[in-house]
Amino acid sequence: MTDSRIPADLPDHIQHYIDGAFVDSVDGDTFDVLDPVTNQTYTTAAAGKKADIELAVAAAKRAFDEGPWPRMLPRERSRVLHRIADLVESRDARLAELESYDSGLPITQALGQARRAAENFRFFADLIVAQSDDAFKVPGKQMNYVNRKPIGVAGLITPWNTPFMLESWKLGPALATGNTVVLKPAEFTPLSASLWAGIFEEAGLPAGVFNLVNGLGEDAGDALVKHPDVPLISFTGESSTGQLIFGNAAPFLKGLSMELGGKSPAVVFADADLEAAVDATIFGVFSLNGERCTAGSRILVERSIYEEFVERYAAQAKRVKVGYPHDPATEVGALVHPEHYEKVMSYVEIGKTEGRLVAGGGRPEGFDEGNFVAPTVFADVSPDARIFQEEIFGPVVAITPFDSDDEALSLANNTKYGLAAYIWTNDLKRAHNFAQSVEAGMVWLNSNNVRDLRTPFGGVKASGLGHEGGYRSIDFYTDQQSVHITLAEKSHNPTFGKN
């Protein structure tokens, strides 16, 4: 009897994709890939090392230096990107099935991420055609304009939460602007990344433009960051890894875009729509299994509504449906990997000494194996608590009261992170003043994490370096060259050395 939750036609082995061909590692090394529901190995993947990265970079550099992709008109590249988007859309069910199985994400949420991946490509396909660059005129004297040029080989290092969508977030603008790429996906979740090769081939992307090397961060990722022929690194992941990349890229003066960790506050004032705030903050920390960088995992609540909020929040958290990832009714699935599960559970135990446990706190009933964690809520959490300060990256939330606007702002800013913030109030002046004072790269007022792809995405403090999204992505993946032309009949240069 077949297991209905296991997708059909799973690969026995996942290879690299270099210069238009699937290949194993030079040394033949592999690593195991686990099913997060059972933690059993379901396939192996080629384990890339320095030699594999060198082959991939050489192919990408050759495609950039000699191939047609960087030299194509924006409209021609745009057509390829639209075909990629069409193919992703047409395969969204299969992509979601594989993503859900590999990562433990609930199937309905994985399907949304697959569709978002298609939209990322479509957005940048349109943007490069519509893009205009600056021109500056000094009438009768000078004309100045800006050329944009692709930079070269972009190294893309992506995380294991929503992997396919986050890969598209980098691949879309990198390819749209005419660069070639080497992608190093997260080792926990290599399955969906392996589908890009077939999609790109079918869409007509030239060989060598896209290359993929699987492997551990300390092997394949490290070699990619240190390769002298890779002038750009875009990384999404932990802040500590970002620090290593920053140091390793420094000798080469590489362009860096890094979206790192978060411990984002959701601030709920007494005048807020309480039902909407509870709904949004439940979704904001428990969707995607809590494995999201922008999770509002610190909820700050004005004291006059604090007890009511905690009571309603805890009751609703207990009703969140934990289940197998393939079940459409599931709202929280399995965490990605046993290592991460142990980390999250260690924070749950720490939280029991730092706050009042009002929901969850362990395995959900009926799930004796796999990486399942019940949605966990701690109230009365002090700002010096570890569960207040440190990124847990799981379905765990800390709730803390405040008495004044100033205290709320102080608490909101009281971590090393600064990625997102969510503010719930019907006071317009307070909302805008608080938004401008909170230390966060992105702020949502009376709404959850809904992004317009034209806006910059990124954080401050330990949450990142640089921004991507919209024109900021175009800026990152291109060199801007200023060209100056004299229009005056006689140049007004200063003259040296004339009699």
Side-chain angles (χ1 to χ4, degrees), residues 6 82 100 105 119 138 158 203 227 237 300 328 461 466 469-470 474 482 486:
I6 300 177
H82 273 296
S100 176
L105 286 176
E119 180 57 27
V138 183
T158 52
H227 200 294
L300 313 175
K461 300 194 291 188
I474 303 294
S482 297
T486 297

PDB file of all heavy atoms in Angstrom, residues 6 82 100 105 119 138 158 203 227 237 300 328 461 466 469-470 474 482 486:
ATOM      1  N   ILE A   6       3.175  10.780   0.416  1.00  0.00           N
ATOM      2  CA  ILE A   6       4.463  10.796  -0.286  1.00  0.00           C
ATOM      3  C   ILE A   6       4.221  11.074  -1.763  1.00  0.00           C
ATOM      4  O   ILE A   6       3.491  10.342  -2.430  1.00  0.00           O
ATOM      5  CB  ILE A   6       5.205   9.462  -0.110  1.00  0.00           C
ATOM      6  CG1 ILE A   6       5.468   9.201   1.373  1.00  0.00           C
ATOM      7  CG2 ILE A   6       6.506   9.466  -0.896  1.00  0.00           C
ATOM      8  CD1 ILE A   6       6.134   7.868   1.656  1.00  0.00           C
ATOM      9  N   HIS A  82       8.896  35.562 -18.714  1.00  0.00           N
ATOM     10  CA  HIS A  82       7.453  35.303 -18.726  1.00  0.00           C
ATOM     11  C   HIS A  82       7.158  33.828 -18.979  1.00  0.00           C
ATOM     12  O   HIS A  82       6.227  33.266 -18.390  1.00  0.00           O
ATOM     13  CB  HIS A  82       6.763  36.177 -19.779  1.00  0.00           C
ATOM     14  CG  HIS A  82       6.373  37.533 -19.268  1.00  0.00           C
ATOM     15  ND1 HIS A  82       5.447  37.704 -18.258  1.00  0.00           N
ATOM     16  CD2 HIS A  82       6.789  38.779 -19.622  1.00  0.00           C
ATOM     17  CE1 HIS A  82       5.308  39.000 -18.005  1.00  0.00           C
ATOM     18  NE2 HIS A  82       6.107  39.681 -18.820  1.00  0.00           N
ATOM     19  N   SER A 100       6.137  20.949   0.128  1.00  0.00           N
ATOM     20  CA  SER A 100       5.501  20.576   1.378  1.00  0.00           C
ATOM     21  C   SER A 100       6.152  19.323   1.958  1.00  0.00           C
ATOM     22  O   SER A 100       6.450  19.256   3.157  1.00  0.00           O
ATOM     23  CB  SER A 100       4.002  20.345   1.143  1.00  0.00           C
ATOM     24  OG  SER A 100       3.378  19.887   2.311  1.00  0.00           O
ATOM     25  N   LEU A 105       6.131  22.287   5.248  1.00  0.00           N
ATOM     26  CA  LEU A 105       5.147  23.366   5.164  1.00  0.00           C
ATOM     27  C   LEU A 105       3.767  22.806   4.843  1.00  0.00           C
ATOM     28  O   LEU A 105       3.639  21.873   4.041  1.00  0.00           O
ATOM     29  CB  LEU A 105       5.528  24.355   4.065  1.00  0.00           C
ATOM     30  CG  LEU A 105       6.696  25.305   4.321  1.00  0.00           C
ATOM     31  CD1 LEU A 105       6.958  26.127   3.069  1.00  0.00           C
ATOM     32  CD2 LEU A 105       6.396  26.216   5.509  1.00  0.00           C
ATOM     33  N   GLU A 119       4.922  34.904  -9.753  1.00  0.00           N
ATOM     34  CA  GLU A 119       4.698  36.351  -9.775  1.00  0.00           C
ATOM     35  C   GLU A 119       6.018  37.119  -9.670  1.00  0.00           C
ATOM     36  O   GLU A 119       6.170  38.183 -10.271  1.00  0.00           O
ATOM     37  CB  GLU A 119       3.753  36.742  -8.632  1.00  0.00           C
ATOM     38  CG  GLU A 119       3.443  38.223  -8.539  1.00  0.00           C
ATOM     39  CD  GLU A 119       2.842  38.807  -9.814  1.00  0.00           C
ATOM     40  OE1 GLU A 119       2.194  38.053 -10.567  1.00  0.00           O
ATOM     41  OE2 GLU A 119       3.042  40.011 -10.063  1.00  0.00           O
ATOM     42  N   VAL A 138      22.123  70.148 -18.681  1.00  0.00           N
ATOM     43  CA  VAL A 138      22.442  71.547 -18.392  1.00  0.00           C
ATOM     44  C   VAL A 138      22.334  72.258 -19.739  1.00  0.00           C
ATOM     45  O   VAL A 138      23.229  72.116 -20.582  1.00  0.00           O
ATOM     46  CB  VAL A 138      23.857  71.704 -17.806  1.00  0.00           C
ATOM     47  CG1 VAL A 138      24.119  73.166 -17.465  1.00  0.00           C
ATOM     48  CG2 VAL A 138      24.035  70.819 -16.584  1.00  0.00           C
ATOM     49  N   THR A 158      20.457  30.515  -0.569  1.00  0.00           N
ATOM     50  CA  THR A 158      19.068  30.635  -0.134  1.00  0.00           C
ATOM     51  C   THR A 158      18.778  29.731   1.058  1.00  0.00           C
ATOM     52  O   THR A 158      19.454  28.725   1.272  1.00  0.00           O
ATOM     53  CB  THR A 158      18.121  30.298  -1.299  1.00  0.00           C
ATOM     54  OG1 THR A 158      18.490  29.031  -1.859  1.00  0.00           O
ATOM     55  CG2 THR A 158      18.200  31.363  -2.377  1.00  0.00           C
ATOM     56  N   ALA A 203      12.008  26.993 -20.937  1.00  0.00           N
ATOM     57  CA  ALA A 203      11.720  28.403 -21.228  1.00  0.00           C
ATOM     58  C   ALA A 203      12.707  29.020 -22.210  1.00  0.00           C
ATOM     59  O   ALA A 203      12.467  30.123 -22.718  1.00  0.00           O
ATOM     60  CB  ALA A 203      11.723  29.207 -19.933  1.00  0.00           C
ATOM     61  N   HIS A 227      34.991  32.819  -4.025  1.00  0.00           N
ATOM     62  CA  HIS A 227      35.478  32.687  -5.403  1.00  0.00           C
ATOM     63  C   HIS A 227      35.727  34.064  -6.014  1.00  0.00           C
ATOM     64  O   HIS A 227      34.848  34.924  -6.010  1.00  0.00           O
ATOM     65  CB  HIS A 227      34.462  31.920  -6.256  1.00  0.00           C
ATOM     66  CG  HIS A 227      35.056  31.348  -7.499  1.00  0.00           C
ATOM     67  ND1 HIS A 227      35.534  32.153  -8.527  1.00  0.00           N
ATOM     68  CD2 HIS A 227      35.289  30.070  -7.883  1.00  0.00           C
ATOM     69  CE1 HIS A 227      36.015  31.386  -9.488  1.00  0.00           C
ATOM     70  NE2 HIS A 227      35.882  30.116  -9.122  1.00  0.00           N
ATOM     71  N   GLY A 237      19.433  34.262   5.359  1.00  0.00           N
ATOM     72  CA  GLY A 237      19.689  33.253   6.377  1.00  0.00           C
ATOM     73  C   GLY A 237      19.968  33.885   7.723  1.00  0.00           C
ATOM     74  O   GLY A 237      19.594  35.037   7.983  1.00  0.00           O
ATOM     75  N   LEU A 300       3.557  42.980  21.915  1.00  0.00           N
ATOM     76  CA  LEU A 300       3.543  43.975  22.989  1.00  0.00           C
ATOM     77  C   LEU A 300       2.128  44.538  23.068  1.00  0.00           C
ATOM     78  O   LEU A 300       1.600  45.036  22.072  1.00  0.00           O
ATOM     79  CB  LEU A 300       4.549  45.090  22.698  1.00  0.00           C
ATOM     80  CG  LEU A 300       5.950  44.619  22.267  1.00  0.00           C
ATOM     81  CD1 LEU A 300       6.831  45.813  21.894  1.00  0.00           C
ATOM     82  CD2 LEU A 300       6.598  43.801  23.376  1.00  0.00           C
ATOM     83  N   PRO A 328      -4.849  19.422   3.444  1.00  0.00           N
ATOM     84  CA  PRO A 328      -5.257  20.820   3.188  1.00  0.00           C
ATOM     85  C   PRO A 328      -5.804  21.536   4.419  1.00  0.00           C
ATOM     86  O   PRO A 328      -5.831  22.767   4.447  1.00  0.00           O
ATOM     87  CB  PRO A 328      -6.349  20.674   2.114  1.00  0.00           C
ATOM     88  CG  PRO A 328      -6.075  19.364   1.458  1.00  0.00           C
ATOM     89  CD  PRO A 328      -5.518  18.474   2.532  1.00  0.00           C
ATOM     90  N   LYS A 461      20.031  47.107  11.649  1.00  0.00           N
ATOM     91  CA  LYS A 461      20.766  46.455  12.737  1.00  0.00           C
ATOM     92  C   LYS A 461      21.193  45.045  12.301  1.00  0.00           C
ATOM     93  O   LYS A 461      21.705  44.878  11.181  1.00  0.00           O
ATOM     94  CB  LYS A 461      19.925  46.467  14.034  1.00  0.00           C
ATOM     95  CG  LYS A 461      19.570  47.884  14.496  1.00  0.00           C
ATOM     96  CD  LYS A 461      19.055  47.950  15.919  1.00  0.00           C
ATOM     97  CE  LYS A 461      17.725  47.351  16.143  1.00  0.00           C
ATOM     98  NZ  LYS A 461      17.172  47.581  17.487  1.00  0.00           N
ATOM     99  N   GLY A 466      21.582  46.120   3.118  1.00  0.00           N
ATOM    100  CA  GLY A 466      21.039  46.414   1.807  1.00  0.00           C
ATOM    101  C   GLY A 466      19.575  46.015   1.694  1.00  0.00           C
ATOM    102  O   GLY A 466      18.981  45.458   2.610  1.00  0.00           O
ATOM    103  N   GLY A 469      14.062  44.055  -3.896  1.00  0.00           N
ATOM    104  CA  GLY A 469      12.670  44.354  -4.186  1.00  0.00           C
ATOM    105  C   GLY A 469      12.574  45.554  -5.101  1.00  0.00           C
ATOM    106  O   GLY A 469      13.239  46.569  -4.883  1.00  0.00           O
ATOM    107  N   GLY A 470      11.781  45.446  -6.175  1.00  0.00           N
ATOM    108  CA  GLY A 470      11.591  46.574  -7.075  1.00  0.00           C
ATOM    109  C   GLY A 470      12.897  47.068  -7.664  1.00  0.00           C
ATOM    110  O   GLY A 470      13.785  46.292  -8.022  1.00  0.00           O
ATOM    111  N   ILE A 474      17.139  45.876  -9.003  1.00  0.00           N
ATOM    112  CA  ILE A 474      17.810  46.285 -10.245  1.00  0.00           C
ATOM    113  C   ILE A 474      19.127  46.981  -9.906  1.00  0.00           C
ATOM    114  O   ILE A 474      20.164  46.741 -10.544  1.00  0.00           O
ATOM    115  CB  ILE A 474      16.902  47.215 -11.074  1.00  0.00           C
ATOM    116  CG1 ILE A 474      15.572  46.540 -11.390  1.00  0.00           C
ATOM    117  CG2 ILE A 474      17.605  47.661 -12.345  1.00  0.00           C
ATOM    118  CD1 ILE A 474      15.648  45.345 -12.281  1.00  0.00           C
ATOM    119  N   SER A 482      27.918  56.464 -15.321  1.00  0.00           N
ATOM    120  CA  SER A 482      27.555  57.825 -15.723  1.00  0.00           C
ATOM    121  C   SER A 482      28.346  58.236 -16.956  1.00  0.00           C
ATOM    122  O   SER A 482      29.572  58.054 -17.009  1.00  0.00           O
ATOM    123  CB  SER A 482      27.844  58.815 -14.589  1.00  0.00           C
ATOM    124  OG  SER A 482      27.053  58.516 -13.460  1.00  0.00           O
ATOM    125  N   THR A 486      29.824  67.008 -23.346  1.00  0.00           N
ATOM    126  CA  THR A 486      29.851  68.462 -23.452  1.00  0.00           C
ATOM    127  C   THR A 486      29.086  68.892 -24.703  1.00  0.00           C
ATOM    128  O   THR A 486      29.333  68.393 -25.807  1.00  0.00           O
ATOM    129  CB  THR A 486      31.293  68.970 -23.523  1.00  0.00           C
ATOM    130  OG1 THR A 486      31.965  68.643 -22.303  1.00  0.00           O
ATOM    131  CG2 THR A 486      31.345  70.477 -23.737  1.00  0.00           C
TER     132      THR A 486
END
